[in-house]
């Protein structure tokens, strides 16, 4: 079987270890690389040359309709002031690469623009595209998502018993089990062989690519510095608003936990609702009398914080920010309804009998405990159900089914870049992930 991999900065190091393991099992591999700084040491690597500036200046053709969703999810355009003039260059190169290599499966992420264009080409050619990714729950496991969606591929039969599933549901409800990305380092991680994110070495490596011509996923260092500085300023302003604007008493609360951006979870998988400022305003505008919207900052706040967001928090009469120090446990206790696009909070809510509305894709299905809405305006119907006692919470049988789904759609192991999570490079983990990818590929090819 032939596996193609798509470069994604430090994640490429992990993909390379997977590729070497696959080759030992008799499979062949090939690569598409956008940033040459991260090109793997492999015999079959296609490094797409950066487009010439003169060629970019001469671009007059319109971006085809099938790439509009790529443009909408492109973090460089959305957050770093980029444009799409290079798309045609990469689209041609990617098409030629796929036509020449004829892979059975392509493996990558769905975050950077070149990955999204690869996905679009794979869709048009009927080539399966795998995006292995770790969801928040049940922990130390990963799903294999299809193309640029949250549709899990493959089926895992190693599911806990119903009694164990109920215990796991309770552990999540009590916050005894939390998502992997919230677990602090234990101090027992293997010796780091790759630079710490944000370190001097990491910045030098990224800068090297920028100076070589990588200007389509990598912002100018000064722009990145200014944006990161703005995040700190916005967090300080958030706390100032908390001190001067108090949530009213004697009302019921809707909670909206902000999702971090840029992140595929929202910018790609939840694309119709990726504008969180607009979403917060629409939710608040459709709340009836006696209801108020609480907004919680993401623990790893980034560019979802903006002057426009702070303006809504400050000025909208039905919106209040929550103190940064307030925990999810505390705020969930205050909330009568939770709204999310693709956040893991949907799982927590269903398992905790807390009414939740989900607007995007997710493992939680529409039904008891969670209502999937197509339009924000429909939130009024959910509120009426809550007010009249008609909202159906999950039964223990529903909670068990959800936990079983969390296991049946995930596989044991960890998937990440080794700069952020060195444990992924452990030999047994690499072998397990490679084996699973082959098994899932057999089901899809």
């Amino acid at each position: 079987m032939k596996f193609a991999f798509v470069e994604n900065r430090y994640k490429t190091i992990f993909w390379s270890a997977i590729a070497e393991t696959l080759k030992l099992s008799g499979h062949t591999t090939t690569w598409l690389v956008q940033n040459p700084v991260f090109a793997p040491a492999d015999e079959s690597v296609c490094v797409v040359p950066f487009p010439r500036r003169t060629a970019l200046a001469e671009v007059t053709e319109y971006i085809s309709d099938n790439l509009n969703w790529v443009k909408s999810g492109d973090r460089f355009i959305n957050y770093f002031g980029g444009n799409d003039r290079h798309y045609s260059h990469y689209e041609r190169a990617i098409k030629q690469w796929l036509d020449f290599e004829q892979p059975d499966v392509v493996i990558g992420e769905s975050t950077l623009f070149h990955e999204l264009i690869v996905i679009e080409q794979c869709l048009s050619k009927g080539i399966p595209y795998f995006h292995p990714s770790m969801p928040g729950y049940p922990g130390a496991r990963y799903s294999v998502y299809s193309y640029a969606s949250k549709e899990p591929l493959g089926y895992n039969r190693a599911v806990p018993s119903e009694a164990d599933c109920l215990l796991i549901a309770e552990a999540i409800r009590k916050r005894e089990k939390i998502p992997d990305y919230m677990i602090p380092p234990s101090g027992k991680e293997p010796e780091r062989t790759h630079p710490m994110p944000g370190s001097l070495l990491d910045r030098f490596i990224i800068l090297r690519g920028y100076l070589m011509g990588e200007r389509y996923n990598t912002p100018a260092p000064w722009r990145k510095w200014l944006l990161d500085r703005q995040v700190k300023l916005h967090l300080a302003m958030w706390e100032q608003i908390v001190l001067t604007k108090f949530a009213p008493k004697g009302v019921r609360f809707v909670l909206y936990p902000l999702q971090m951006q840029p992140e595929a979870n929202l910018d790609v998988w939840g694309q119709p609702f990726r504008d969180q400022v607009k979403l917060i305003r629409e939710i608040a505008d459709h709340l009836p009398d006696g209801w108020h919207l609480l907004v919680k900052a993401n623990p790893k706040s980034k560019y979802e914080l903006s002057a426009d967001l702070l303006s809504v928090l400050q000025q909208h009469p039905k919106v209040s920010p929550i103190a940064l120090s307030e925990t999810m446990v505390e705020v969930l206790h205050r909330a009568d309804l939770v709204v999310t696009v693709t956040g893991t909070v949907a799982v927590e809510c269903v398992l905790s009998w807390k009414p939740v509305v989900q607007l995007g894709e997710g493992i939680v299905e529409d039904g008891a405990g969670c209502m999937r809405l197509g339009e924000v305006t429909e939130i009024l119907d959910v509120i009426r159900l809550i007010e009249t006692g008609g909202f159906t919470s999950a039964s223990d049988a529903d909670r068990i089914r959800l936990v079983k789904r969390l296991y049946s759609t995930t596989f044991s192991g960890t998937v990440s870049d080794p700069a952020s999570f060195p444990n992924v490079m452990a030999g047994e983990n690499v072998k397990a992930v490679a084996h699973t990818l082959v098994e899932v590929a057999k089901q899809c090819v």
Side-chain angles (χ1 to χ4, degrees):
M1 197 174 294
K2 189 171 190 177
F3 291 87
F5 291 85
V6 184
E7 169 265 324
N8 182 299
R9 290 195 174 186
Y10 293 113
K11 188 70 163 286
T12 310
I13 300 169
F14 179 64
W15 292 152
S16 185
I18 297 292
E20 290 302 311
T21 302
L22 292 173
K23 286 192 284 187
L24 291 175
S25 300
H27 303 284
T28 57
T29 61
T30 186
W31 290 83
L32 180 95
V33 173
Q34 191 272 337
N35 190 336
V37 169
F38 296 97
D42 199 293
E43 63 275 8
S44 178
V45 177
C46 171
V47 180
V48 180
F50 298 124
R52 293 178 292 109
R53 288 186 179 274
T54 53
L56 291 176
E58 294 168 358
V59 171
T60 57
E61 58 189 293
Y62 292 99
I63 297 300
S64 55
D65 290 342
N66 61 332
L67 289 185
N68 281 336
W69 72 271
V70 174
K71 183 177 178 180
S72 297
D74 188 341
R75 58 180 58 189
F76 197 77
I77 292 175
N78 292 329
Y79 305 99
F80 303 117
N83 57 57
D84 58 11
R85 290 189 301 160
H86 52 290
Y87 278 20
S88 296
H89 169 81
Y90 282 96
E91 186 179 30
R92 284 192 296 268
I94 289 166
K95 183 178 185 301
Q96 291 172 0
W97 171 67
L98 288 171
D99 287 344
F100 178 77
E101 295 293 348
Q102 294 289 311
D104 295 298
V105 174
V106 179
I107 296 173
E109 288 203 10
S110 55
T111 54
L112 303 178
F113 88 90
H114 65 283
E115 294 167 319
L116 301 182
I117 293 178
V118 172
I119 289 172
E120 180 58 41
Q121 286 294 312
C122 285
L123 281 165
S124 68
K125 297 176 184 298
I127 302 172
Y129 186 100
F130 292 177
H131 176 182
S133 180
M134 296 176 66
Y137 294 108
R141 300 176 71 82
Y142 65 96
S143 291
V144 180
Y145 295 130
S146 177
Y147 298 104
S149 75
K150 289 196 78 171
E151 176 192 350
L153 298 171
Y155 182 79
N156 175 33
R157 299 183 183 280
V159 175
S161 67
E162 291 195 356
D164 286 339
C165 283
L166 193 54
L167 290 175
I168 293 167
E170 283 297 290
I172 294 174
R173 180 181 70 83
K174 296 176 182 178
R175 303 286 288 182
E176 296 170 353
K177 179 185 280 289
I178 60 176
D180 289 324
Y181 56 81
M182 295 181 63
I183 300 175
S186 65
K188 299 180 181 179
E189 288 76 18
E191 183 179 354
R192 178 175 290 278
T193 56
H194 307 292
M196 179 78 73
S199 66
L200 188 62
L201 178 56
D202 170 55
R203 293 176 183 178
F204 174 78
I205 292 171
I206 301 301
L207 178 61
R208 181 177 164 224
Y210 180 82
L211 295 176
M212 290 174 65
E214 204 307 278
R215 309 293 173 87
Y216 311 105
N217 287 315
T218 306
W222 52 90
R223 179 182 284 273
K224 183 72 163 58
W225 181 83
L226 285 172
L227 285 171
D228 290 343
R229 183 171 179 271
Q230 278 187 331
V231 171
K232 295 178 181 179
L233 293 174
H234 288 153
L235 286 171
M237 293 173 66
W238 180 295
E239 284 292 66
Q240 286 298 314
I241 297 172
V242 169
L243 294 174
T244 58
K245 185 179 184 182
F246 303 99
K249 295 182 179 180
V251 299
R252 306 181 81 168
F253 292 112
V254 175
L255 168 67
Y256 180 77
L258 280 167
Q259 293 187 232
M260 187 180 74
Q261 289 177 291
E263 186 73 28
N265 213 13
L266 187 58
D267 291 316
V268 178
W269 297 332
Q271 196 170 110
F273 303 97
R274 62 163 301 277
D275 185 342
Q276 295 191 91
V277 177
K278 177 184 176 184
L279 178 57
I280 288 169
R281 189 182 291 113
E282 288 183 350
I283 293 171
D285 285 345
H286 287 90
L287 294 183
D289 292 340
W291 286 77
H292 192 81
L293 179 63
L294 300 176
V295 180
K296 186 181 187 308
N298 190 281
K300 297 182 178 181
S301 295
K302 242 180 158 180
Y303 309 140
E304 72 278 2
L305 298 181
S306 66
D308 287 343
L309 172 63
L310 293 171
S311 177
V312 172
L313 296 180
Q314 176 71 68
Q315 299 178 16
H316 200 294
K318 287 201 170 187
V319 180
S320 296
I322 294 169
L324 300 177
S325 60
E326 190 164 353
T327 67
M328 181 61 85
V329 173
E330 293 170 331
V331 70
L332 276 178
H333 181 72
R334 296 167 60 191
D336 297 279
L337 172 65
V338 177
V339 179
T340 186
V341 181
T342 57
T344 56
V345 69
V347 172
E348 299 169 12
C349 287
V350 171
L351 298 180
S352 304
W353 306 295
K354 179 70 65 175
V356 61
V357 159
Q358 186 168 273
L359 298 167
E361 294 184 80
I363 194 66
V364 178
E365 296 179 337
D366 184 48
C370 177
M371 297 187 70
R372 176 80 179 270
L373 303 186
E375 300 289 342
V376 177
T377 55
E378 298 171 3
I379 194 171
L380 187 58
D381 297 328
V382 181
I383 287 175
R384 296 306 183 208
L385 285 175
I386 294 172
E387 289 179 333
T388 59
F391 188 94
T392 304
S393 297
S395 65
D396 279 349
D398 296 320
R399 298 166 78 217
I400 289 170
R401 276 193 294 272
L402 175 54
V403 174
K404 282 187 173 182
R405 198 178 308 124
L406 293 174
Y407 277 89
S408 65
T409 58
T410 58
F411 305 92
S412 181
T414 52
V415 173
S416 185
D417 70 85
S420 303
F421 196 54
N423 290 350
V424 298
M425 298 303 290
E428 289 305 311
N429 183 63
V430 171
K431 290 178 183 177
V433 174
H435 173 76
T436 296
L437 291 174
V438 172
E439 293 304 306
V440 174
K442 289 178 181 177
Q443 300 176 31
C444 298
V445 175

